[in-house]
Amino acid sequence: MKVKRSEMWRAVVLLLLTGCVCASVPEEPADRAASSDGYCSWITRAQPHGAGGRREGFTEFRLRVEGDPEHYQPGSTYRVSLYATNPAYFRGFTLIALKEGYNGDQEDDYAGNFQIIDEEDTQFMTNCPPAVTESTPRRRTRIQVFWTAPPSGSGCVLLKASIVQRKIISFQDEGSLTKRMCEREPLYGEATDKPLLDCCACGTAKYRVTFYGNWSEKFHPKDYPRRANHWSALIGASHSKNYILWEYGGYASDGVKQVAELGSPVKMEEEIRQRGDEVLTVIKMKAQWPAWQPLNVRAAPSAEFSVDRTRHLMSFLTMLGPSPDWNVGLSSEDLCTRECGWAQKVVQDLIPWDAGTDSGVTYESPNKPSTPQEKIRPLTSLDNPQSPFYDPEGGAITPVARVVVERIARKGEQCNIVPDNVDDIVADIAQEEKEEDDTPETCIYSNWSQWSACSSSTCEKGKRMRQRMLKAQLDLSVPCPHTQDFEPCMGPGCSDEDASTCTMSEWITWSPCSMSCGAGVRSRERYVKQFPEDGFACTHPTEETEPCTVNEDCSPSSCLVTEWGEWDACSATCGLGMKRRERMVKMPPSDGSICGAEVVEVEKCMMPECHTIPCLLSPWSDWSDCSVTCGKGTRMRQRMLKSPAELGECYEELEQMEKCMLPECPMDCVMSEWSEWSECSKSCGKGHLIRKRMITLEPQFGGDPCPETTQRKTCKIKKCNQGGINSDERKRRKEDRKKRRNKHGREESADELAGCKMKSWSAWTDCTKLCGGGIQERLMTAKKRYKNAQLNSCKDRKEIRACNVHPC
């Protein structure tokens, strides 16, 4: 019987949707629908008949994609809900996903695929396979399905729903029953299969890359590691298109893996230098401990690099620590423009990506190699519920860093026809020695000082400086030139012709001062670009340090710290690990500012070489049953360790747990309490009494149906006389009335005979409830007690009656 009712209801819905008024079979054959209306197009062109007709602007129903995203990620799956706001409901519905601008006439007009969550609630439409409809017609307020987005290049998609409530159909082309989503643009560097064009620029360009780490507890509060959070040393290069340091969809090299898991750039730098002519500049920055500090405490790290026509791409990476293998960076960022020039500025917000070498899901997950190795991919907010970036609504991850790449100079003859702007031209002109003095007459300077010593004591190129002082500026509207002048130089006895064959890179910019207040030190580094051909080692220094002072008068904001504690044990039992030590702030700055002194130090430690211990494990058991019989639960599987104890400990996972979803739990009908019985429907003879109750919650997901809401029972007060009332009857009724009138008096007389005189009854009290049945009371108290009254014969009396028995 249930099947027949379902078919009859679906026939009604179909008739309403198609506008058919003739008697028909329960479902129109698919071939007939296709031949007459096109592939499913009858759904979008439906003009229903009936009392209600088409309803536009109906706001009691809404189609929603979880998280309310404006864009979809190709191939990703989203939860789609159709629901009614209280007290509305619907009995039937249709749900489709159309490519924007298409009418649904062809199969290719539909985008993505739906997946059924609850087969008792939803099913695919028989004569329109892409559409989802109800399984059984019944009152409902919500349905859910999964929708998998189409592949890349599908453009914008319209998720459209229609609902049927009685004979009224709502199908909104615009409004709460239509959701428009467009394809999300690829993340930076994500489209690694894009062709890299040949560069047509002339000369070379010099850039400065600055890294701003925004990974902090304020913006990423979930499970933020307060201890030992840091950015590892940054490593990268300017290179040709024939060399890719890393890319989405590719596999991490040994060097990338070492950066990703340990934060060590050593192996990566070796890989870069082995590429020879494919690399122009190696880019390096020091690690940052902790990961975030205000810019007035620690300047953002930066480095300089150069590009030319063949090596016009820039890549870098740095590890987010602690983490399993999470990094940020740029991959093959092209600084050559289509107009044969050099890009002026590139700004990118960075989200973390997974190197595919470790399977951990939290910041401090234990080491768990990915076997087999996985491809490099961006992290998403739906990867794992334990992830610190997890968002059940699938929102975007808040960027953890920003990188700014800015051109600071161009060298050589430039071939781009249209310059960027006038300031660019002036800034990029080579700083040649000026023979003429173009100082305005209104600027009065001292004489130039002697040239300083060359910054290079070797045959590597350096700089020297001279200065002068501005004594007076007679006209404030005329700017005065600079007071410092620089020129290139080399160490004593060196010239361009006999320069050493040991070629060094330029110095990386100075590191921040080691102290946030007072005297400290800062350092800078460089590396060997080319070793001597005769095989001798380079003796030029690769690191320099110099004293620095920050805020000389730091007494108001100084802070006192304890001595350093002992180093902790190495984090690794074998191989490369980390160790740390701490000290405490004894007295914070008196002005309320942040204490700039470092309180945590971390450094690498090397333990004896690791020896691989084999772990013999049994196969995984089958997944257990879901922990619940309906709704959301968990299930588990296990495996056993078979290795003998003498081989050592095994750290492989022996138990796994995952979520499971069963059909929604049935919800039975919920009823209110019964009202009081009504008065008899007749004054004589047989009548009936009535009581009622309300439905407070409709049954859902197959719950028990609602029982009766009204009950009746018979009542008989007295027998009705057919004819007139005889004299005996009149006499009896008169006596009854007299008795009722005298009853109160007789009671009082009786009380007086018992030795009491009672007061009259008090007024009834207010009802204790406004509805649903309450009570009222009244009292009679003794007025006078006679001498002959017995001990218990004179008591106060109380009467109670029901009130406000109507239901709430």
Side-chain angles (χ1 to χ4, degrees):
M1 187 62 184
K2 183 177 180 181
V3 176
K4 292 182 179 179
R5 290 181 59 188
S6 174
E7 292 178 351
M8 290 174 64
W9 172 250
R10 191 169 294 112
V12 172
V13 175
L14 223 69
L15 290 172
L16 287 171
L17 286 170
T18 58
C20 179
V21 295
C22 58
S24 178
V25 293
E27 290 188 354
E28 183 180 1
D31 56 353
R32 180 179 174 184
S35 62
S36 60
D37 294 319
Y39 186 87
C40 296
S41 60
W42 52 271
I43 298 179
T44 59
R45 296 202 301 269
Q47 293 292 340
H49 296 275
R54 191 179 181 91
R55 294 283 297 275
E56 298 291 346
F58 204 47
T59 59
E60 291 177 298
F61 306 99
R62 184 182 175 195
L63 177 69
R64 181 175 184 262
V65 179
E66 191 171 38
D68 294 323
E70 295 181 0
H71 301 86
Y72 66 85
Q73 173 71 28
S76 295
T77 299
Y78 301 86
R79 185 187 297 268
V80 180
S81 302
L82 175 63
Y83 60 90
T85 57
N86 188 43
Y89 65 90
F90 55 95
R91 293 184 177 274
F93 70 93
T94 306
L95 183 60
I96 59 174
L98 276 177
K99 294 178 182 177
E100 189 174 42
Y102 291 82
N103 297 323
D105 297 334
Q106 305 292 330
E107 184 177 359
D108 292 340
D109 293 356
Y110 295 84
N113 299 291
F114 288 108
Q115 300 173 41
I116 301 299
I117 296 178
D118 187 351
E119 294 183 353
E120 293 185 1
D121 217 26
T122 53
Q123 67 176 7
F124 291 105
M125 187 171 284
T126 305
N127 49 354
C128 183
V132 175
T133 188
E134 75 284 345
S135 295
T136 55
R138 61 178 177 84
R139 290 166 60 114
R140 51 171 57 82
T141 59
R142 183 185 185 92
I143 63 100
Q144 291 185 342
V145 295
F146 287 130
W147 177 70
T148 301
S152 180
S154 299
C156 295
V157 174
L158 296 177
L159 293 169
K160 300 164 71 73
S162 66
I163 64 99
V164 179
Q165 184 189 36
R166 297 187 181 92
K167 293 185 178 181
I168 300 172
I169 295 181
S170 296
F171 192 102
Q172 294 173 297
D173 293 333
E174 306 228 348
S176 60
L177 288 179
T178 295
K179 172 70 175 178
R180 181 177 184 267
M181 297 172 64
C182 294
E183 183 177 347
R184 183 181 66 81
E185 295 181 1
L187 294 169
Y188 60 90
E190 188 171 11
T192 51
D193 55 349
K194 64 182 179 182
L196 296 173
L197 303 177
D198 291 332
C199 180
C200 57
C202 299
T204 62
K206 189 175 183 180
Y207 286 88
R208 177 181 292 112
V209 54
T210 306
F211 182 83
Y212 298 92
N214 299 324
W215 178 48
S216 65
E217 189 171 12
K218 178 180 178 181
F219 297 107
H220 307 85
K222 183 181 178 184
D223 300 333
Y224 187 79
R226 296 186 178 182
R227 296 162 59 98
N229 60 82
H230 68 282
W231 293 104
S232 75
L234 183 147
I235 183 69
S238 57
H239 56 92
S240 72
K241 64 180 182 179
N242 297 325
Y243 174 43
I244 303 297
L245 276 73
W246 70 272
E247 62 177 341
Y248 290 124
Y251 290 98
S253 65
D254 291 341
V256 172
K257 178 180 178 181
Q258 194 176 80
V259 175
E261 295 187 13
L262 303 176
S264 170
V266 176
K267 183 67 176 178
M268 190 73 212
E269 185 174 355
E270 290 179 3
E271 292 179 353
I272 293 173
R273 296 189 186 283
Q274 289 173 359
R275 298 303 299 226
D277 293 339
E278 304 292 344
V279 174
L280 181 59
T281 308
V282 178
I283 302 171
K284 296 171 67 177
M285 296 183 204
K286 283 192 171 183
Q288 300 180 71
W289 297 82
W292 184 87
Q293 282 187 352
L295 292 178
N296 61 352
V297 175
R298 182 182 68 197
S302 62
E304 295 178 1
F305 66 94
S306 298
V307 291
D308 59 18
R309 175 178 288 188
T310 59
R311 294 159 292 190
H312 51 93
L313 305 178
M314 188 274 278
S315 302
F316 78 87
L317 70 160
T318 176
M319 182 193 76
L320 193 78
S323 72
D325 57 347
W326 300 341
N327 289 245
V328 299
L330 291 181
S331 175
S332 300
E333 185 68 31
D334 197 345
L335 299 175
C336 184
T337 67
R338 295 179 180 272
E339 294 77 25
C340 301
W342 299 108
Q344 175 62 38
K345 191 174 185 179
V346 175
V347 180
Q348 287 278 16
D349 287 320
L350 308 177
I351 64 170
W353 48 267
D354 190 315
T357 61
D358 192 293
S359 300
V361 295
T362 65
Y363 288 126
E364 301 188 35
S365 292
N367 187 36
K368 184 181 179 183
S370 297
T371 307
Q373 183 175 337
E374 299 174 353
K375 294 181 179 180
I376 297 175
R377 64 171 183 86
L379 293 179
T380 73
S381 60
L382 293 173
D383 284 340
N384 190 292
Q386 298 179 11
S387 168
F389 305 106
Y390 180 72
D391 179 1
E393 296 189 348
I397 292 179
T398 302
V400 296
R402 169 173 288 186
V403 63
V404 178
V405 182
E406 192 167 14
R407 195 182 75 219
I408 56 177
R410 286 186 293 199
K411 297 180 181 179
E413 183 179 354
Q414 303 296 308
C415 54
N416 56 322
I417 300 173
V418 181
D420 298 329
N421 52 56
V422 175
D423 293 336
D424 257 357
I425 300 174
V426 175
D428 291 332
I429 295 177
Q431 295 293 327
E432 299 177 356
E433 180 100 32
K434 296 180 180 179
E435 299 295 337
E436 300 179 359
D437 187 4
D438 56 355
T439 304
E441 295 180 358
T442 57
C443 299
I444 309 301
Y445 287 94
S446 67
N447 293 327
W448 285 106
S449 66
Q450 296 294 321
W451 286 106
S452 66
C454 189
S455 62
S456 173
S457 59
T458 66
C459 292
E460 183 69 20
K461 287 185 179 180
K463 290 182 181 180
R464 62 178 182 171
M465 181 189 71
R466 62 178 182 174
Q467 302 183 55
R468 60 180 177 177
M469 295 182 61
L470 177 62
K471 292 184 175 181
Q473 187 174 359
L474 304 181
D475 187 352
L476 297 178
S477 63
V478 178
C480 293
H482 55 273
T483 59
Q484 292 182 331
D485 194 14
F486 297 87
E487 71 173 11
C489 61
M490 289 189 294
C494 297
S495 65
D496 289 338
E497 289 76 20
D498 60 359
S500 169
T501 56
C502 180
T503 307
M504 306 294 292
S505 70
E506 296 182 358
W507 289 103
I508 296 175
T509 53
W510 288 102
S511 67
C513 194
S514 61
M515 299 296 293
S516 60
C517 180
V521 293
R522 63 176 186 172
S523 62
R524 63 177 183 176
E525 295 178 334
R526 61 178 178 177
Y527 59 89
V528 179
K529 293 180 65 176
Q530 181 177 345
F531 288 90
E533 295 180 357
D534 55 10
F536 285 93
C538 286
T539 58
H540 304 318
T542 58
E543 185 173 357
E544 283 186 347
T545 59
E546 70 174 18
C548 58
T549 303
V550 179
N551 189 15
E552 294 182 359
D553 184 17
C554 57
S555 55
S557 61
S558 61
C559 59
L560 298 178
V561 293
T562 63
E563 296 294 327
W564 285 109
E566 296 294 330
W567 286 104
D568 291 344
C570 190
S571 61
T573 56
C574 61
L576 182 62
M578 305 293 289
K579 64 179 181 179
R580 67 193 305 275
R581 64 176 182 174
E582 297 180 352
R583 60 180 176 180
M584 304 295 293
V585 177
K586 294 172 63 177
M587 181 181 296
S590 59
D591 60 358
S593 61
I594 298 174
C595 182
E598 296 286 348
V599 295
V600 177
E601 275 190 349
V602 180
E603 69 177 25
K604 296 176 184 178
C605 53
M606 180 64 73
M607 302 297 288
E609 184 179 356
C610 296
H611 297 284
T612 303
I613 299 175
C615 287
L616 301 180
L617 299 167
S618 68
W620 283 108
S621 66
D622 294 333
W623 285 106
S624 66
D625 293 335
C626 197
S627 61
V628 296
T629 57
C630 58
K632 294 180 180 178
T634 57
R635 62 177 188 172
M636 300 176 62
R637 66 175 183 175
Q638 298 175 332
R639 59 181 175 179
M640 303 295 292
L641 176 63
K642 299 166 64 177
S643 302
E646 55 269 17
L647 290 181
E649 295 185 13
C650 180
Y651 298 99
E652 292 292 332
E653 190 176 27
L654 300 179
E655 187 174 85
Q656 286 184 346
M657 177 183 295
E658 70 175 11
K659 293 183 178 181
C660 52
M661 180 73 182
L662 294 177
E664 295 283 355
C665 297
M667 297 180 64
D668 298 336
C669 178
V670 179
M671 309 290 290
S672 67
E673 296 294 328
W674 286 106
S675 67
E676 295 293 331
W677 288 103
S678 66
E679 295 181 356
C680 193
S681 61
K682 293 185 178 181
S683 58
C684 65
K686 290 185 178 180
H688 62 266
L689 306 175
I690 297 177
R691 67 174 182 175
K692 296 183 178 182
R693 58 181 175 179
M694 307 293 291
I695 298 175
T696 58
L697 179 64
E698 292 277 358
Q700 298 184 40
F701 312 116
D704 292 341
C706 293
E708 60 183 358
T709 58
T710 304
Q711 284 185 349
R712 298 170 180 247
K713 69 178 181 179
T714 58
C715 57
K716 183 177 181 181
I717 298 179
K718 59 186 175 180
K719 186 176 181 180
C720 297
N721 291 324
Q722 298 297 328
I725 303 174
N726 55 31
S727 58
D728 292 338
E729 180 65 22
R730 284 197 297 269
K731 185 177 179 180
R732 187 181 64 80
R733 290 188 179 183
K734 185 176 180 180
E735 290 177 353
D736 288 342
R737 288 195 297 270
K738 186 177 180 180
K739 289 179 181 179
R740 285 195 296 272
R741 284 196 302 269
N742 295 332
K743 182 179 180 181
H744 185 65
R746 288 199 305 271
E747 288 178 353
E748 288 188 356
S749 299
D751 290 338
E752 289 178 3
L753 291 175
C756 277
K757 186 175 182 180
M758 306 298 292
K759 294 181 180 179
S760 301
W761 285 102
S762 67
W764 289 103
T765 61
D766 293 336
C767 193
T768 58
K769 292 185 180 180
L770 298 177
C771 61
I775 59 173
Q776 290 177 296
E777 297 179 354
R778 68 174 183 175
L779 297 173
M780 177 188 285
T781 58
K783 184 177 181 181
K784 185 176 181 180
R785 182 174 178 177
Y786 297 105
K787 293 181 179 181
N788 61 346
Q790 297 179 2
L791 183 63
N792 296 325
S793 63
C794 200
K795 289 186 177 181
D796 293 344
R797 299 182 179 183
K798 179 170 69 174
E799 284 188 351
I800 299 175
R801 71 178 183 185
C803 56
N804 293 340
V805 295
H806 58 278
C808 295

